[in-house]
Amino acid sequence: MSTEAVLGFVLAGSFVLYALFGGADFGGGVWDLLAFGPRKAEQRALIARAMGPVWEVNHIWLILGVVLLFAGFPRAFATLSVALHVPLTLLLLGIVFRGAAFTFRTYDMRGDAAQRQWGLVFSGASIVAPLLLGMCVGAVASGSIRVEGRVVVSGFFASWLSPFAWAVGVLALALFAFLAAVFLTHEASGAELREDFRKRALGAGVAVFVAALVVLLLAREGAPRVWEGLSRSPFALALHGATGVAAVTAFALLWTHRFQWARLAAAFQAGLIVLGWAASQYPYLVVPDVTLQGAAAGPATQRLLLIALAVGAVTVIPSIALLFRVFRPRPDGASTMDSGH
Protein backbone atom coordinates (compact mmCIF):
# COMPACT_ATOMS: atom_id res chain seq x y z
CA MET A 1 0.00 0.00 0.00
CA SER A 2 1.35 3.43 -0.96
CA THR A 3 2.08 6.05 1.68
CA GLU A 4 -0.65 8.36 0.38
CA ALA A 5 -3.15 5.50 0.64
CA VAL A 6 -2.11 4.88 4.26
CA LEU A 7 -2.47 8.58 5.03
CA GLY A 8 -5.84 8.60 3.29
CA PHE A 9 -6.97 5.66 5.43
CA VAL A 10 -5.87 7.45 8.60
CA LEU A 11 -7.66 10.59 7.41
CA ALA A 12 -10.90 8.66 6.93
CA GLY A 13 -10.39 7.05 10.35
CA SER A 14 -10.04 10.44 12.02
CA PHE A 15 -13.35 11.57 10.54
CA VAL A 16 -15.01 8.33 11.66
CA LEU A 17 -13.81 8.89 15.23
CA TYR A 18 -14.95 12.51 15.16
CA ALA A 19 -18.37 11.43 13.94
CA LEU A 20 -18.64 8.87 16.76
CA PHE A 21 -17.39 10.97 19.67
CA GLY A 22 -17.77 14.58 18.62
CA GLY A 23 -20.99 13.75 16.77
CA ALA A 24 -22.54 12.19 19.86
CA ASP A 25 -21.73 15.37 21.80
CA PHE A 26 -23.44 17.48 19.12
CA GLY A 27 -26.42 15.16 19.38
CA GLY A 28 -26.48 15.70 23.13
CA GLY A 29 -27.02 19.39 22.46
CA VAL A 30 -29.96 18.54 20.19
CA TRP A 31 -31.66 16.56 22.96
CA ASP A 32 -30.85 19.30 25.46
CA LEU A 33 -32.93 21.66 23.31
CA LEU A 34 -35.70 19.09 22.82
CA ALA A 35 -35.90 17.98 26.46
CA PHE A 36 -39.53 17.76 27.54
CA GLY A 37 -41.90 15.98 29.88
CA PRO A 38 -41.86 15.51 33.64
CA ARG A 39 -38.19 14.48 33.59
CA LYS A 40 -36.97 17.43 31.49
CA ALA A 41 -34.53 18.58 34.17
CA GLU A 42 -33.22 15.06 34.67
CA GLN A 43 -32.72 14.65 30.91
CA ARG A 44 -30.60 17.78 30.71
CA ALA A 45 -28.68 16.84 33.84
CA LEU A 46 -27.85 13.45 32.31
CA ILE A 47 -26.61 15.10 29.11
CA ALA A 48 -24.39 17.49 31.08
CA ARG A 49 -23.10 14.66 33.29
CA ALA A 50 -22.29 12.44 30.31
CA MET A 51 -20.53 15.20 28.35
CA GLY A 52 -18.89 17.18 31.12
CA PRO A 53 -15.60 15.39 31.84
CA VAL A 54 -14.56 14.49 28.28
CA TRP A 55 -16.46 16.54 25.68
CA GLU A 56 -13.59 18.86 24.69
CA VAL A 57 -11.09 16.07 24.01
CA ASN A 58 -13.31 14.71 21.24
CA HIS A 59 -12.24 17.55 18.95
CA ILE A 60 -8.77 16.02 18.80
CA TRP A 61 -10.01 13.82 15.94
CA LEU A 62 -11.12 16.85 13.94
CA ILE A 63 -7.75 18.50 14.61
CA LEU A 64 -6.00 15.33 13.45
CA GLY A 65 -7.97 15.35 10.21
CA VAL A 66 -7.21 19.02 9.55
CA VAL A 67 -3.48 18.51 10.23
CA LEU A 68 -3.40 15.47 7.94
CA LEU A 69 -5.03 17.47 5.16
CA PHE A 70 -2.70 20.43 5.67
CA ALA A 71 0.54 18.44 5.85
CA GLY A 72 -0.26 15.33 3.82
CA PHE A 73 -2.58 16.66 1.12
CA PRO A 74 -1.88 20.40 0.83
CA ARG A 75 -3.60 20.85 -2.53
CA ALA A 76 -6.85 19.44 -1.14
CA PHE A 77 -6.50 21.58 1.98
CA ALA A 78 -6.02 24.72 -0.11
CA THR A 79 -9.00 23.87 -2.34
CA LEU A 80 -11.35 23.25 0.58
CA SER A 81 -10.11 26.29 2.50
CA VAL A 82 -11.00 28.52 -0.45
CA ALA A 83 -14.16 26.88 -1.78
CA LEU A 84 -15.74 26.26 1.66
CA HIS A 85 -14.30 29.11 3.69
CA VAL A 86 -17.78 30.46 4.51
CA PRO A 87 -19.34 27.27 6.00
CA LEU A 88 -16.05 26.19 7.58
CA THR A 89 -15.72 29.55 9.33
CA LEU A 90 -19.32 29.32 10.54
CA LEU A 91 -18.65 25.75 11.69
CA LEU A 92 -15.64 26.80 13.74
CA LEU A 93 -17.62 29.67 15.27
CA GLY A 94 -20.38 27.23 16.14
CA ILE A 95 -17.91 24.89 17.85
CA VAL A 96 -16.41 27.79 19.83
CA PHE A 97 -19.77 29.25 20.88
CA ARG A 98 -21.04 25.80 21.78
CA GLY A 99 -18.09 25.06 24.06
CA ALA A 100 -18.17 28.49 25.68
CA ALA A 101 -21.91 28.30 26.29
CA PHE A 102 -21.64 24.82 27.80
CA THR A 103 -18.98 26.03 30.23
CA PHE A 104 -20.75 29.28 31.13
CA ARG A 105 -24.05 27.48 31.67
CA THR A 106 -22.34 25.14 34.10
CA TYR A 107 -20.59 27.82 36.14
CA ASP A 108 -22.71 30.96 35.71
CA MET A 109 -24.00 31.91 39.17
CA ARG A 110 -26.51 34.57 38.09
CA GLY A 111 -29.51 32.28 38.24
CA ASP A 112 -31.78 30.18 36.05
CA ALA A 113 -32.47 32.90 33.46
CA ALA A 114 -28.77 33.25 32.54
CA GLN A 115 -28.34 29.50 32.43
CA ARG A 116 -31.34 29.19 30.09
CA GLN A 117 -29.78 31.75 27.77
CA TRP A 118 -26.48 29.88 27.71
CA GLY A 119 -28.44 26.67 27.17
CA LEU A 120 -30.09 28.10 24.06
CA VAL A 121 -26.71 29.13 22.65
CA PHE A 122 -25.31 25.67 23.42
CA SER A 123 -28.24 23.85 21.83
CA GLY A 124 -28.48 26.16 18.82
CA ALA A 125 -24.78 25.76 18.04
CA SER A 126 -25.15 21.98 18.50
CA ILE A 127 -27.70 21.98 15.68
CA VAL A 128 -26.04 24.45 13.33
CA ALA A 129 -22.52 22.94 13.55
CA PRO A 130 -23.35 19.37 12.42
CA LEU A 131 -25.68 20.75 9.75
CA LEU A 132 -22.81 22.83 8.33
CA LEU A 133 -20.39 19.91 8.67
CA GLY A 134 -22.70 17.71 6.63
CA MET A 135 -23.21 20.44 4.04
CA CYS A 136 -19.43 20.66 3.61
CA VAL A 137 -19.27 16.89 3.09
CA GLY A 138 -22.08 17.15 0.56
CA ALA A 139 -20.23 19.89 -1.31
CA VAL A 140 -17.02 17.83 -1.42
CA ALA A 141 -18.87 14.79 -2.78
CA SER A 142 -21.13 16.63 -5.21
CA GLY A 143 -18.54 17.47 -7.85
CA SER A 144 -19.59 21.13 -7.87
CA ILE A 145 -16.25 22.38 -6.48
CA ARG A 146 -14.21 22.93 -9.62
CA VAL A 147 -10.48 23.63 -9.79
CA GLU A 148 -8.54 24.81 -12.83
CA GLY A 149 -4.83 24.57 -12.25
CA ARG A 150 -4.61 25.68 -8.63
CA VAL A 151 -7.54 28.10 -8.70
CA VAL A 152 -11.06 27.40 -7.44
CA VAL A 153 -13.41 28.61 -10.16
CA SER A 154 -16.78 27.38 -8.88
CA GLY A 155 -17.66 30.19 -6.47
CA PHE A 156 -18.12 30.19 -2.71
CA PHE A 157 -21.83 29.39 -2.13
CA ALA A 158 -23.46 27.17 -4.75
CA SER A 159 -21.56 23.99 -3.84
CA TRP A 160 -22.68 23.86 -0.19
CA LEU A 161 -26.15 25.37 -0.63
CA SER A 162 -27.37 22.77 -3.13
CA PRO A 163 -30.30 20.44 -2.28
CA PHE A 164 -27.88 17.50 -2.07
CA ALA A 165 -25.60 19.33 0.38
CA TRP A 166 -28.58 20.33 2.52
CA ALA A 167 -29.77 16.72 2.56
CA VAL A 168 -26.34 15.50 3.70
CA GLY A 169 -26.39 18.17 6.42
CA VAL A 170 -29.75 16.94 7.69
CA LEU A 171 -28.48 13.35 7.57
CA ALA A 172 -25.45 14.30 9.69
CA LEU A 173 -27.69 16.07 12.22
CA ALA A 174 -30.07 13.10 12.45
CA LEU A 175 -27.20 10.63 12.73
CA PHE A 176 -25.56 12.58 15.56
CA ALA A 177 -28.88 12.85 17.40
CA PHE A 178 -29.37 9.09 17.00
CA LEU A 179 -25.90 8.34 18.35
CA ALA A 180 -26.41 10.60 21.35
CA ALA A 181 -29.78 9.10 22.23
CA VAL A 182 -28.44 5.54 22.02
CA PHE A 183 -25.39 6.39 24.11
CA LEU A 184 -27.55 8.16 26.72
CA THR A 185 -29.76 5.09 27.16
CA HIS A 186 -26.65 3.37 28.49
CA GLU A 187 -25.60 6.34 30.62
CA ALA A 188 -29.01 6.78 32.28
CA SER A 189 -29.37 5.44 35.82
CA GLY A 190 -33.15 5.06 36.05
CA ALA A 191 -35.55 2.96 34.01
CA GLU A 192 -37.83 5.91 33.20
CA LEU A 193 -34.95 8.09 32.02
CA ARG A 194 -33.61 5.23 29.89
CA GLU A 195 -37.04 4.83 28.35
CA ASP A 196 -37.14 8.54 27.47
CA PHE A 197 -33.95 8.26 25.47
CA ARG A 198 -34.86 4.87 24.02
CA LYS A 199 -37.93 6.44 22.41
CA ARG A 200 -35.82 9.33 21.16
CA ALA A 201 -33.27 6.90 19.72
CA LEU A 202 -35.94 4.98 17.83
CA GLY A 203 -37.40 8.20 16.44
CA ALA A 204 -34.00 9.53 15.46
CA GLY A 205 -33.18 6.20 13.81
CA VAL A 206 -36.26 6.57 11.60
CA ALA A 207 -35.12 10.12 10.76
CA VAL A 208 -31.67 8.77 9.78
CA PHE A 209 -33.31 6.24 7.45
CA VAL A 210 -35.50 8.89 5.78
CA ALA A 211 -32.61 11.36 5.44
CA ALA A 212 -30.32 8.66 4.00
CA LEU A 213 -33.00 7.73 1.46
CA VAL A 214 -33.36 11.39 0.40
CA VAL A 215 -29.56 11.69 0.06
CA LEU A 216 -29.49 8.55 -2.07
CA LEU A 217 -32.26 9.82 -4.35
CA LEU A 218 -30.60 13.23 -4.76
CA ALA A 219 -27.14 11.73 -5.33
CA ARG A 220 -27.95 10.63 -8.88
CA GLU A 221 -28.14 14.25 -10.05
CA GLY A 222 -26.45 16.04 -7.17
CA ALA A 223 -23.38 13.79 -6.77
CA PRO A 224 -22.93 11.54 -9.83
CA ARG A 225 -19.58 10.15 -8.69
CA VAL A 226 -20.99 9.11 -5.33
CA TRP A 227 -24.05 7.63 -7.03
CA GLU A 228 -21.79 5.58 -9.30
CA GLY A 229 -19.75 4.43 -6.33
CA LEU A 230 -22.88 3.52 -4.39
CA SER A 231 -24.39 1.56 -7.24
CA ARG A 232 -21.37 -0.06 -8.90
CA SER A 233 -18.39 -0.33 -6.56
CA PRO A 234 -18.37 -3.78 -4.91
CA PHE A 235 -16.49 -2.46 -1.88
CA ALA A 236 -18.92 0.42 -1.37
CA LEU A 237 -21.90 -1.88 -1.84
CA ALA A 238 -20.50 -4.25 0.79
CA LEU A 239 -20.04 -1.33 3.19
CA HIS A 240 -23.60 -0.16 2.67
CA GLY A 241 -24.91 -3.67 3.16
CA ALA A 242 -23.02 -3.87 6.44
CA THR A 243 -24.44 -0.46 7.38
CA GLY A 244 -27.95 -1.76 6.85
CA VAL A 245 -27.26 -4.79 9.03
CA ALA A 246 -25.83 -2.57 11.78
CA ALA A 247 -28.88 -0.28 11.62
CA VAL A 248 -31.35 -3.14 11.89
CA THR A 249 -29.32 -4.66 14.72
CA ALA A 250 -29.27 -1.35 16.61
CA PHE A 251 -33.06 -1.07 16.29
CA ALA A 252 -33.59 -4.63 17.47
CA LEU A 253 -31.31 -4.13 20.48
CA LEU A 254 -33.05 -0.88 21.40
CA TRP A 255 -36.42 -2.55 21.07
CA THR A 256 -35.34 -5.34 23.44
CA HIS A 257 -33.65 -2.95 25.89
CA ARG A 258 -30.11 -4.24 25.34
CA PHE A 259 -28.58 -0.80 25.53
CA GLN A 260 -24.91 -1.66 25.90
CA TRP A 261 -24.92 -3.70 22.70
CA ALA A 262 -27.19 -1.17 20.96
CA ARG A 263 -24.53 1.45 21.59
CA LEU A 264 -21.94 -0.72 19.82
CA ALA A 265 -24.25 -1.40 16.86
CA ALA A 266 -25.08 2.31 16.49
CA ALA A 267 -21.38 3.17 16.52
CA PHE A 268 -20.75 0.61 13.78
CA GLN A 269 -23.62 2.06 11.76
CA ALA A 270 -22.30 5.63 11.99
CA GLY A 271 -18.72 4.58 11.26
CA LEU A 272 -19.75 2.58 8.21
CA ILE A 273 -21.77 5.51 6.86
CA VAL A 274 -18.67 7.71 6.95
CA LEU A 275 -16.49 4.98 5.44
CA GLY A 276 -19.12 4.35 2.78
CA TRP A 277 -18.97 8.00 1.74
CA ALA A 278 -15.15 7.83 1.52
CA ALA A 279 -15.25 4.58 -0.47
CA SER A 280 -17.90 5.83 -2.88
CA GLN A 281 -15.79 8.81 -3.98
CA TYR A 282 -12.36 7.10 -3.94
CA PRO A 283 -9.79 8.03 -5.30
CA TYR A 284 -11.02 11.65 -5.13
CA LEU A 285 -10.51 13.88 -2.12
CA VAL A 286 -12.50 16.64 -3.81
CA VAL A 287 -14.67 15.39 -6.67
CA PRO A 288 -13.85 15.66 -9.59
CA ASP A 289 -10.57 17.56 -9.80
CA VAL A 290 -8.46 16.62 -6.76
CA THR A 291 -7.39 13.01 -6.30
CA LEU A 292 -5.65 11.37 -3.38
CA GLN A 293 -2.46 10.87 -5.34
CA GLY A 294 -2.56 14.25 -7.07
CA ALA A 295 -3.01 16.16 -3.81
CA ALA A 296 -0.39 14.26 -1.80
CA ALA A 297 2.70 15.98 -0.43
CA GLY A 298 6.20 14.86 -1.43
CA PRO A 299 7.49 11.41 -0.40
CA ALA A 300 9.80 12.80 2.30
CA THR A 301 6.94 14.74 3.90
CA GLN A 302 4.68 11.70 3.78
CA ARG A 303 7.28 9.52 5.52
CA LEU A 304 7.87 12.09 8.25
CA LEU A 305 4.13 12.44 8.73
CA LEU A 306 3.73 8.68 9.13
CA ILE A 307 6.50 8.66 11.76
CA ALA A 308 4.81 11.54 13.61
CA LEU A 309 1.48 9.69 13.50
CA ALA A 310 3.05 6.53 14.92
CA VAL A 311 4.73 8.43 17.76
CA GLY A 312 1.55 10.38 18.46
CA ALA A 313 -0.58 7.23 18.52
CA VAL A 314 1.68 5.63 21.14
CA THR A 315 1.24 8.61 23.45
CA VAL A 316 -2.19 10.05 22.65
CA ILE A 317 -4.37 6.94 22.35
CA PRO A 318 -3.44 5.47 25.78
CA SER A 319 -3.86 8.93 27.33
CA ILE A 320 -7.37 9.30 25.90
CA ALA A 321 -8.28 5.76 26.98
CA LEU A 322 -7.12 6.56 30.52
CA LEU A 323 -9.07 9.82 30.49
CA PHE A 324 -12.27 8.05 29.53
CA ARG A 325 -11.68 5.31 32.06
CA VAL A 326 -11.11 7.72 34.95
CA PHE A 327 -13.62 10.45 34.20
CA ARG A 328 -16.37 8.88 32.12
CA PRO A 329 -19.49 8.73 34.31
CA ARG A 330 -21.23 5.39 34.71
CA PRO A 331 -24.89 4.83 35.41
CA ASP A 332 -25.61 4.18 39.07
CA GLY A 333 -25.64 0.51 39.82
CA ALA A 334 -24.73 -0.48 36.27
CA SER A 335 -22.67 -3.56 35.71
CA THR A 336 -20.93 -4.95 32.69
CA MET A 337 -24.22 -6.59 31.68
CA ASP A 338 -26.85 -4.82 29.56
CA SER A 339 -28.21 -1.84 31.41
CA GLY A 340 -31.78 -2.55 30.32
CA HIS A 341 -32.16 -5.54 32.70
Side-chain angles (χ1 to χ4, degrees):
M1 183 181 293
S2 64
T3 53
E4 61 262 19
V6 173
L7 290 174
F9 181 79
V10 177
L11 179 65
S14 69
F15 290 137
V16 168
L17 291 171
Y18 187 64
L20 293 181
F21 295 104
D25 281 349
F26 284 126
V30 174
W31 298 122
D32 187 273
L33 179 66
L34 300 180
F36 67 92
R39 290 173 295 279
K40 178 169 64 174
E42 288 85 348
Q43 292 165 13
R44 286 176 171 158
L46 172 62
I47 292 167
R49 179 172 65 87
M51 288 177 53
V54 297
W55 69 272
E56 196 167 19
V57 75
N58 293 326
H59 291 299
I60 192 173
W61 306 117
L62 179 61
I63 295 169
L64 173 62
V66 171
V67 170
L68 277 173
L69 270 178
F70 176 78
F73 304 96
R75 185 184 172 199
F77 180 87
T79 299
L80 296 176
S81 298
V82 173
L84 300 177
H85 73 276
V86 174
L88 289 175
T89 300
L90 294 175
L91 170 63
L92 292 175
L93 287 173
I95 291 173
V96 171
F97 277 105
R98 177 178 175 274
F102 182 73
T103 302
F104 288 143
R105 185 181 69 169
T106 302
Y107 296 105
D108 198 323
M109 303 300 292
R110 293 179 295 170
D112 292 341
Q115 290 184 338
R116 282 195 297 270
Q117 292 173 356
W118 289 122
L120 287 174
V121 175
F122 165 68
S123 299
S126 296
I127 292 174
V128 172
L131 186 63
L132 287 167
L133 184 62
M135 292 169 74
C136 290
V137 171
V140 170
S142 68
S144 57
I145 298 177
R146 300 309 307 268
V147 181
E148 293 182 1
R150 296 183 179 273
V151 179
V152 176
V153 296
S154 52
F156 303 131
F157 294 95
S159 62
W160 61 278
L161 291 176
S162 67
F164 176 76
W166 273 101
V168 177
V170 172
L171 174 60
L173 181 60
L175 181 63
F176 292 170
F178 173 67
L179 275 175
V182 175
F183 289 178
L184 287 166
T185 58
H186 179 68
E187 300 284 354
S189 57
E192 292 180 337
L193 199 56
R194 281 197 296 268
E195 184 63 17
D196 288 343
F197 284 105
R198 186 182 78 95
K199 292 177 179 178
R200 286 163 172 77
L202 292 171
V206 173
V208 170
F209 174 78
V210 173
L213 181 61
V214 172
V215 169
L216 181 63
L217 294 175
L218 291 175
R220 188 162 193 168
E221 297 295 330
R225 172 67 193 183
V226 171
W227 170 261
E228 183 178 349
L230 290 173
S231 58
R232 297 182 183 180
S233 168
F235 182 62
L237 288 173
L239 276 176
H240 295 302
T243 304
V245 172
V248 171
T249 302
F251 261 74
L253 292 169
L254 284 169
W255 193 265
T256 55
H257 296 79
R258 292 178 170 84
F259 299 127
Q260 184 174 354
W261 291 107
R263 182 173 63 167
L264 184 62
F268 268 107
Q269 177 187 352
L272 288 171
I273 287 175
V274 178
L275 287 177
W277 154 59
S280 64
Q281 71 172 54
Y282 180 83
Y284 295 99
L285 282 174
V286 183
V287 180
D289 296 323
V290 183
T291 64
L292 193 72
Q293 185 175 9
T301 301
Q302 292 182 43
R303 287 193 294 270
L304 289 172
L305 191 54
L306 286 174
I307 293 171
L309 286 170
V311 173
V314 171
T315 56
V316 172
I317 292 177
S319 300
I320 293 177
L322 179 62
L323 177 70
F324 272 81
R325 181 177 179 84
V326 172
F327 291 105
R328 191 68 176 177
R330 296 180 181 179
D332 297 336
S335 68
T336 56
M337 302 299 291
D338 294 336
S339 45
H341 297 288

